[in-house]
Amino acid sequence: MAVTVSLVALFGLVLFFLLRSNTLGYGAAFIAVMFGFYLASTGAAGPMNQLSTAVIDAIRNL
């Protein structure tokens, strides 16, 4: 749960700065989609949480 809340805050902050600087591209679209998945907690949030956990674990094991 703590990782999910942290990622929501991180994606929200990045999305805010991307929108503020009028940088709209593939990166901004990805951040917006990820923020939406975490914020809404839809049925797709489970696989997205598993993906994020796997990426975090992989980075931790580097």
Side-chain angles (χ1 to χ4, degrees):
M1 180 67 180
V3 172
T4 304
V5 173
S6 302
L7 288 175
V8 168
L10 176 68
F11 286 132
L13 187 65
V14 171
L15 179 60
F16 172 76
F17 284 116
L18 287 173
L19 291 174
R20 183 144 169 96
S21 67
N22 291 330
T23 306
L24 206 54
Y26 294 113
F30 174 75
I31 296 297
V33 168
M34 292 297 291
F35 181 70
F37 276 125
Y38 281 106
L39 190 61
S41 296
T42 63
M48 295 304 291
N49 284 334
Q50 292 172 355
L51 175 66
S52 299
T53 302
V55 169
I56 290 169
D57 288 340
I59 291 172
R60 188 180 307 145
N61 292 329
L62 288 178

